[in-house]
Amino acid sequence: MKNNILKMAFILLATNLVNSQKVELPDALQKKWWKEAVVYQIYPRSFKDSNGDGVGDLKGIISKLDYVKSLGIDAVWLNPIYASPNDDNGYDISNYREIMKDFGTMEDFDVMLKEMHKRGIKLIMDLVVNHSSDENKWFQESRKSRDNKYRDYYHWWPAEKGKPPYRWSFFDLNSDAWKFDAQTNSYYLHYFSEKQPDLNWENPKLRQEVYAIMKFWLDKGIDGFRMDAFQFISKDNTFPDLPKEIVNTPAAIIKYYLNGPHLHDYIQEMNKEVLSKYPNAMTVAEGAGDSPEAAMKFVDPDRKELNIAYHFESVDVGKHLKDFGLVKYKAIFSKYDDKFKDKGWLSIFLANHDQPRMVSKFGNDTPQFRELSSKMLSTFVLTMRGTPFYYNGDELGMDNIRFDSIEDYQDVDTRNKYIGIKNKGGDLHAFLDIQKQSSRENSRTPFQWNTEKNAGFTTVKPWLKVNPNYKTINAEAQEKDSNSVLNYFRKLVKLRKQEPALVYGKYTLLDKENPSVFAYTRELNGKKILVLLNFSEKNAPYNIKIPIAKSKIILGNYKIKKMNILQPYEAQIVELK
């Protein structure tokens, strides 16, 4: 008995000694699946039509899951598929627990989720709760009377108080976020389209409705949410006058919108009531503030809010990166990395459904350089620190379609801006010329699967025109070419998974003032990887002050390398010795 007691005491002492020597890793180095994941964004309306109505759907996605799996990605972010009248391509939701008829049924969704999980692919869905559709039951009830139980699910301003203080709208013809509704002699608030009334998060009943919706989908087995327009959910319901100096400055007004009085209170409440009960769920904060400090508030683990900050500074560079300047661009990534090097986590992306095509905005989509610059940009996204979000079609080097006529556009944003300019007698030709480069509809054209009619997307007229270059840019052709943009992307994904330094490694910027070359190292546990990227169409020298003659090039987009100089849009990933 005595020996047993002594033995147990020794075991307890040894255990305590071991535990006392454990060193807690910095948050940025703690392993999480969503840090190591490569996320592939699917725009369902444009991915694959299965039933011949010209619109992509869930069965179409199911039919292409083997292709998605072949990319090596870990998770799919799916744009909204909820019931919607489709004023803003699904971002106006009429029922959060139903599937849009264009896309199929809930049974189709269940099959899709099962088939994704069978292939080891996680599913991230958009959570769109800054606003709903005006055809949502909540809003239909809300507008019936001032004492309706759903009235306070939205922001109303009684007309007898006069016109409400000005608020700017993204999609309104007159940029006015207040819409008069005669039924109750009141105005309702809409930061986006007038068919997208803003939800009143100041109402605890509304918040509970949102939490119930989240639980509904998480209980179905989805793996997380990308929080759409989440930075706007908190408003001051007294709606004070805007500061005079920002009234006519939309960019300043947007920044004003970002800092609602209870924004983080609501997210912390959401975490406590929902997210903490699903600890493996990925949560992504879209538009996370306007600075690294603001972004950190969303994802600092001590604050118990969300996982990944998805800020916009990396894409808010105007029409093209060359106009913005690479030196300034490098500074953006470096300042965010400096803030996030020890805790919190970032996303890395160059494209999504609200941006033009990656190669057209950040690279060079001429026939001479499209493939090279596509590969270079993919190298950047897959070797930076943060979770890479990669938009469907960019793995083929799909580029801007550049519509000539307003009739070709379906987007509420472009159409309303066109009408607004027309009403004011503005220059419509100049507007359309700008849209050729900047319109988000450039990224929404149907996926280019093969050389068949409509790129193999559909057998009938597609909801949006197919880019005519599908005969030469398509997945089927690139599958057969070992040197294609597609197969280069696959190599990058595989490399990222093999090299923890590319996920968790320290980032160090090199040759900071070089106007053409983005050079940096990633370093972890003695392993050091150098990334060299030429963002220009000319040969570019670089000065990194690191001897690389004996180092090994792991991957690059040129077969023949030149010493101490990068060829146009060249990418090199080098293992330093």
Side-chain angles (χ1 to χ4, degrees), residues 211-237:
Y211 303 158
I213 290 165
M214 295 175 70
K215 291 174 184 175
F216 172 82
W217 289 102
L218 288 165
D219 288 342
K220 267 189 166 291
I222 74 164
D223 302 285
F225 292 106
R226 177 256 193 191
M227 315 294 204
D228 178 74
F230 228 67
Q231 69 273 42
F232 301 144
I233 61 173
S234 177
K235 284 104 173 167
D236 181 345
N237 271 2

mmCIF file of all heavy atoms in Angstrom, residues 211-237:
data_model
loop_
_atom_site.group_PDB
_atom_site.id
_atom_site.type_symbol
_atom_site.label_atom_id
_atom_site.label_comp_id
_atom_site.label_asym_id
_atom_site.label_seq_id
_atom_site.Cartn_x
_atom_site.Cartn_y
_atom_site.Cartn_z
ATOM 1 N N TYR A 211 -29.356 34.353 -34.667
ATOM 2 C CA TYR A 211 -28.642 33.254 -34.026
ATOM 3 C C TYR A 211 -29.322 31.918 -34.320
ATOM 4 O O TYR A 211 -28.650 30.899 -34.512
ATOM 5 C CB TYR A 211 -28.553 33.483 -32.517
ATOM 6 C CG TYR A 211 -27.900 34.796 -32.121
ATOM 7 C CD1 TYR A 211 -28.134 35.373 -30.888
ATOM 8 C CD2 TYR A 211 -27.046 35.464 -33.007
ATOM 9 C CE1 TYR A 211 -27.542 36.583 -30.525
ATOM 10 C CE2 TYR A 211 -26.457 36.672 -32.653
ATOM 11 C CZ TYR A 211 -26.717 37.224 -31.420
ATOM 12 O OH TYR A 211 -26.134 38.425 -31.071
ATOM 13 N N ALA A 212 -30.652 31.932 -34.370
ATOM 14 C CA ALA A 212 -31.394 30.704 -34.684
ATOM 15 C C ALA A 212 -31.103 30.250 -36.117
ATOM 16 O O ALA A 212 -30.982 29.048 -36.387
ATOM 17 C CB ALA A 212 -32.887 30.929 -34.479
ATOM 18 N N ILE A 213 -30.986 31.216 -37.031
ATOM 19 C CA ILE A 213 -30.650 30.887 -38.431
ATOM 20 C C ILE A 213 -29.260 30.262 -38.498
ATOM 21 O O ILE A 213 -29.046 29.258 -39.184
ATOM 22 C CB ILE A 213 -30.707 32.156 -39.303
ATOM 23 C CG1 ILE A 213 -32.154 32.626 -39.476
ATOM 24 C CG2 ILE A 213 -30.061 31.907 -40.671
ATOM 25 C CD1 ILE A 213 -32.269 34.053 -40.002
ATOM 26 N N MET A 214 -28.313 30.835 -37.778
ATOM 27 C CA MET A 214 -26.952 30.301 -37.773
ATOM 28 C C MET A 214 -26.935 28.862 -37.252
ATOM 29 O O MET A 214 -26.283 27.981 -37.834
ATOM 30 C CB MET A 214 -26.052 31.189 -36.912
ATOM 31 C CG MET A 214 -25.861 32.592 -37.468
ATOM 32 S SD MET A 214 -24.918 33.663 -36.353
ATOM 33 C CE MET A 214 -23.281 32.935 -36.478
ATOM 34 N N LYS A 215 -27.650 28.625 -36.169
ATOM 35 C CA LYS A 215 -27.701 27.273 -35.599
ATOM 36 C C LYS A 215 -28.350 26.293 -36.573
ATOM 37 O O LYS A 215 -27.929 25.138 -36.677
ATOM 38 C CB LYS A 215 -28.471 27.293 -34.281
ATOM 39 C CG LYS A 215 -27.754 28.008 -33.155
ATOM 40 C CD LYS A 215 -28.644 28.129 -31.918
ATOM 41 C CE LYS A 215 -27.967 28.922 -30.815
ATOM 42 N NZ LYS A 215 -28.860 29.152 -29.648
ATOM 43 N N PHE A 216 -29.354 26.747 -37.298
ATOM 44 C CA PHE A 216 -30.036 25.898 -38.281
ATOM 45 C C PHE A 216 -29.037 25.338 -39.290
ATOM 46 O O PHE A 216 -29.004 24.134 -39.571
ATOM 47 C CB PHE A 216 -31.123 26.713 -38.987
ATOM 48 C CG PHE A 216 -31.767 26.009 -40.150
ATOM 49 C CD1 PHE A 216 -32.793 25.096 -39.950
ATOM 50 C CD2 PHE A 216 -31.350 26.269 -41.458
ATOM 51 C CE1 PHE A 216 -33.389 24.439 -41.030
ATOM 52 C CE2 PHE A 216 -31.935 25.623 -42.543
ATOM 53 C CZ PHE A 216 -32.960 24.703 -42.326
ATOM 54 N N TRP A 217 -28.176 26.213 -39.831
ATOM 55 C CA TRP A 217 -27.228 25.774 -40.854
ATOM 56 C C TRP A 217 -26.049 25.023 -40.253
ATOM 57 O O TRP A 217 -25.573 24.032 -40.832
ATOM 58 C CB TRP A 217 -26.761 26.975 -41.675
ATOM 59 C CG TRP A 217 -27.853 27.504 -42.555
ATOM 60 C CD1 TRP A 217 -28.630 28.607 -42.339
ATOM 61 C CD2 TRP A 217 -28.332 26.909 -43.762
ATOM 62 N NE1 TRP A 217 -29.557 28.746 -43.336
ATOM 63 C CE2 TRP A 217 -29.408 27.715 -44.229
ATOM 64 C CE3 TRP A 217 -27.970 25.780 -44.492
ATOM 65 C CZ2 TRP A 217 -30.104 27.428 -45.393
ATOM 66 C CZ3 TRP A 217 -28.665 25.490 -45.664
ATOM 67 C CH2 TRP A 217 -29.722 26.308 -46.102
ATOM 68 N N LEU A 218 -25.568 25.453 -39.099
ATOM 69 C CA LEU A 218 -24.473 24.736 -38.456
ATOM 70 C C LEU A 218 -24.901 23.332 -38.040
ATOM 71 O O LEU A 218 -24.135 22.378 -38.144
ATOM 72 C CB LEU A 218 -23.957 25.528 -37.255
ATOM 73 C CG LEU A 218 -23.163 26.794 -37.611
ATOM 74 C CD1 LEU A 218 -23.007 27.699 -36.394
ATOM 75 C CD2 LEU A 218 -21.797 26.446 -38.194
ATOM 76 N N ASP A 219 -26.147 23.210 -37.591
ATOM 77 C CA ASP A 219 -26.660 21.882 -37.228
ATOM 78 C C ASP A 219 -26.828 20.988 -38.453
ATOM 79 O O ASP A 219 -26.814 19.756 -38.341
ATOM 80 C CB ASP A 219 -27.987 22.006 -36.474
ATOM 81 C CG ASP A 219 -27.815 22.545 -35.064
ATOM 82 O OD1 ASP A 219 -26.664 22.500 -34.556
ATOM 83 O OD2 ASP A 219 -28.792 23.027 -34.466
ATOM 84 N N LYS A 220 -27.005 21.603 -39.611
ATOM 85 C CA LYS A 220 -27.049 20.822 -40.848
ATOM 86 C C LYS A 220 -25.676 20.257 -41.196
ATOM 87 O O LYS A 220 -25.563 19.328 -41.998
ATOM 88 C CB LYS A 220 -27.550 21.690 -42.006
ATOM 89 C CG LYS A 220 -29.048 21.609 -42.229
ATOM 90 C CD LYS A 220 -29.415 22.317 -43.509
ATOM 91 C CE LYS A 220 -30.837 21.936 -43.917
ATOM 92 N NZ LYS A 220 -30.947 20.527 -44.348
ATOM 93 N N GLY A 221 -24.640 20.862 -40.636
ATOM 94 C CA GLY A 221 -23.296 20.342 -40.848
ATOM 95 C C GLY A 221 -22.353 21.237 -41.619
ATOM 96 O O GLY A 221 -21.242 20.817 -41.956
ATOM 97 N N ILE A 222 -22.768 22.488 -41.928
ATOM 98 C CA ILE A 222 -21.832 23.370 -42.632
ATOM 99 C C ILE A 222 -20.671 23.706 -41.699
ATOM 100 O O ILE A 222 -20.750 23.506 -40.476
ATOM 101 C CB ILE A 222 -22.506 24.649 -43.162
ATOM 102 C CG1 ILE A 222 -22.820 25.627 -42.030
ATOM 103 C CG2 ILE A 222 -23.751 24.322 -43.972
ATOM 104 C CD1 ILE A 222 -23.110 27.026 -42.502
ATOM 105 N N ASP A 223 -19.607 24.241 -42.248
ATOM 106 C CA ASP A 223 -18.358 24.376 -41.499
ATOM 107 C C ASP A 223 -17.996 25.814 -41.157
ATOM 108 O O ASP A 223 -16.893 26.067 -40.668
ATOM 109 C CB ASP A 223 -17.236 23.734 -42.314
ATOM 110 C CG ASP A 223 -17.529 22.272 -42.616
ATOM 111 O OD1 ASP A 223 -17.402 21.435 -41.702
ATOM 112 O OD2 ASP A 223 -17.924 21.975 -43.757
ATOM 113 N N GLY A 224 -18.900 26.746 -41.416
ATOM 114 C CA GLY A 224 -18.624 28.115 -41.027
ATOM 115 C C GLY A 224 -19.347 29.135 -41.872
ATOM 116 O O GLY A 224 -20.116 28.800 -42.783
ATOM 117 N N PHE A 225 -19.099 30.419 -41.545
ATOM 118 C CA PHE A 225 -19.759 31.531 -42.217
ATOM 119 C C PHE A 225 -18.747 32.596 -42.617
ATOM 120 O O PHE A 225 -17.798 32.886 -41.891
ATOM 121 C CB PHE A 225 -20.781 32.204 -41.306
ATOM 122 C CG PHE A 225 -21.986 31.376 -40.975
ATOM 123 C CD1 PHE A 225 -22.125 30.807 -39.710
ATOM 124 C CD2 PHE A 225 -22.978 31.152 -41.914
ATOM 125 C CE1 PHE A 225 -23.245 30.060 -39.390
ATOM 126 C CE2 PHE A 225 -24.103 30.404 -41.602
ATOM 127 C CZ PHE A 225 -24.231 29.852 -40.341
ATOM 128 N N ARG A 226 -19.002 33.197 -43.756
ATOM 129 C CA ARG A 226 -18.345 34.442 -44.131
ATOM 130 C C ARG A 226 -19.389 35.531 -43.888
ATOM 131 O O ARG A 226 -20.481 35.508 -44.443
ATOM 132 C CB ARG A 226 -17.902 34.363 -45.591
ATOM 133 C CG ARG A 226 -17.267 35.659 -46.129
ATOM 134 C CD ARG A 226 -18.268 36.360 -46.998
ATOM 135 N NE ARG A 226 -17.703 37.427 -47.797
ATOM 136 C CZ ARG A 226 -18.459 38.295 -48.456
ATOM 137 N NH1 ARG A 226 -19.787 38.209 -48.442
ATOM 138 N NH2 ARG A 226 -17.907 39.242 -49.165
ATOM 139 N N MET A 227 -19.078 36.457 -43.002
ATOM 140 C CA MET A 227 -20.044 37.447 -42.525
ATOM 141 C C MET A 227 -20.101 38.631 -43.487
ATOM 142 O O MET A 227 -19.218 39.485 -43.488
ATOM 143 C CB MET A 227 -19.673 37.930 -41.127
ATOM 144 C CG MET A 227 -19.268 36.835 -40.157
ATOM 145 S SD MET A 227 -20.636 35.731 -39.782
ATOM 146 C CE MET A 227 -20.116 35.082 -38.193
ATOM 147 N N ASP A 228 -21.137 38.702 -44.307
ATOM 148 C CA ASP A 228 -21.251 39.724 -45.333
ATOM 149 C C ASP A 228 -21.658 41.075 -44.744
ATOM 150 O O ASP A 228 -22.618 41.154 -43.968
ATOM 151 C CB ASP A 228 -22.288 39.300 -46.383
ATOM 152 C CG ASP A 228 -22.476 40.341 -47.447
ATOM 153 O OD1 ASP A 228 -21.590 40.473 -48.307
ATOM 154 O OD2 ASP A 228 -23.509 41.050 -47.413
ATOM 155 N N ALA A 229 -20.935 42.129 -45.141
ATOM 156 C CA ALA A 229 -21.248 43.511 -44.732
ATOM 157 C C ALA A 229 -21.417 43.633 -43.222
ATOM 158 O O ALA A 229 -22.178 44.467 -42.730
ATOM 159 C CB ALA A 229 -22.505 44.011 -45.448
ATOM 160 N N PHE A 230 -20.692 42.806 -42.480
ATOM 161 C CA PHE A 230 -20.888 42.730 -41.034
ATOM 162 C C PHE A 230 -20.434 43.987 -40.321
ATOM 163 O O PHE A 230 -20.885 44.284 -39.213
ATOM 164 C CB PHE A 230 -20.161 41.508 -40.476
ATOM 165 C CG PHE A 230 -21.011 40.697 -39.574
ATOM 166 C CD1 PHE A 230 -22.105 40.012 -40.074
ATOM 167 C CD2 PHE A 230 -20.764 40.632 -38.215
ATOM 168 C CE1 PHE A 230 -22.916 39.270 -39.254
ATOM 169 C CE2 PHE A 230 -21.572 39.892 -37.376
ATOM 170 C CZ PHE A 230 -22.651 39.206 -37.894
ATOM 171 N N GLN A 231 -19.541 44.732 -40.953
ATOM 172 C CA GLN A 231 -19.040 45.940 -40.322
ATOM 173 C C GLN A 231 -20.109 47.019 -40.206
ATOM 174 O O GLN A 231 -19.922 48.013 -39.513
ATOM 175 C CB GLN A 231 -17.827 46.461 -41.088
ATOM 176 C CG GLN A 231 -18.125 47.009 -42.480
ATOM 177 C CD GLN A 231 -18.119 45.961 -43.575
ATOM 178 O OE1 GLN A 231 -18.636 44.879 -43.376
ATOM 179 N NE2 GLN A 231 -17.556 46.281 -44.719
ATOM 180 N N PHE A 232 -21.256 46.822 -40.880
ATOM 181 C CA PHE A 232 -22.303 47.853 -40.911
ATOM 182 C C PHE A 232 -23.489 47.559 -39.978
ATOM 183 O O PHE A 232 -24.432 48.342 -39.924
ATOM 184 C CB PHE A 232 -22.863 47.998 -42.333
ATOM 185 C CG PHE A 232 -21.852 48.376 -43.368
ATOM 186 C CD1 PHE A 232 -21.939 47.870 -44.653
ATOM 187 C CD2 PHE A 232 -20.816 49.242 -43.082
ATOM 188 C CE1 PHE A 232 -21.013 48.213 -45.629
ATOM 189 C CE2 PHE A 232 -19.876 49.588 -44.039
ATOM 190 C CZ PHE A 232 -19.977 49.073 -45.323
ATOM 191 N N ILE A 233 -23.483 46.434 -39.262
ATOM 192 C CA ILE A 233 -24.714 46.009 -38.576
ATOM 193 C C ILE A 233 -25.138 46.940 -37.444
ATOM 194 O O ILE A 233 -26.330 47.045 -37.149
ATOM 195 C CB ILE A 233 -24.612 44.561 -38.055
ATOM 196 C CG1 ILE A 233 -23.473 44.428 -37.035
ATOM 197 C CG2 ILE A 233 -24.477 43.577 -39.202
ATOM 198 C CD1 ILE A 233 -23.427 43.051 -36.348
ATOM 199 N N SER A 234 -24.197 47.610 -36.797
ATOM 200 C CA SER A 234 -24.541 48.459 -35.661
ATOM 201 C C SER A 234 -24.747 49.904 -36.105
ATOM 202 O O SER A 234 -23.888 50.491 -36.757
ATOM 203 C CB SER A 234 -23.448 48.396 -34.592
ATOM 204 O OG SER A 234 -23.737 49.268 -33.532
ATOM 205 N N LYS A 235 -25.915 50.448 -35.750
ATOM 206 C CA LYS A 235 -26.218 51.853 -36.058
ATOM 207 C C LYS A 235 -26.668 52.588 -34.789
ATOM 208 O O LYS A 235 -27.185 51.962 -33.861
ATOM 209 C CB LYS A 235 -27.344 51.959 -37.095
ATOM 210 C CG LYS A 235 -26.926 51.659 -38.539
ATOM 211 C CD LYS A 235 -27.376 50.307 -38.964
ATOM 212 C CE LYS A 235 -27.124 50.052 -40.451
ATOM 213 N NZ LYS A 235 -27.288 48.614 -40.783
ATOM 214 N N ASP A 236 -26.506 53.884 -34.797
ATOM 215 C CA ASP A 236 -27.077 54.729 -33.749
ATOM 216 C C ASP A 236 -28.509 55.034 -34.161
ATOM 217 O O ASP A 236 -28.747 55.796 -35.103
ATOM 218 C CB ASP A 236 -26.250 56.010 -33.612
ATOM 219 C CG ASP A 236 -26.778 56.928 -32.515
ATOM 220 O OD1 ASP A 236 -27.927 56.727 -32.063
ATOM 221 O OD2 ASP A 236 -26.045 57.858 -32.128
ATOM 222 N N ASN A 237 -29.484 54.463 -33.460
ATOM 223 C CA ASN A 237 -30.884 54.576 -33.871
ATOM 224 C C ASN A 237 -31.464 55.977 -33.740
ATOM 225 O O ASN A 237 -32.586 56.227 -34.195
ATOM 226 C CB ASN A 237 -31.747 53.584 -33.077
ATOM 227 C CG ASN A 237 -31.829 52.236 -33.764
ATOM 228 O OD1 ASN A 237 -31.212 52.023 -34.805
ATOM 229 N ND2 ASN A 237 -32.583 51.320 -33.186
#
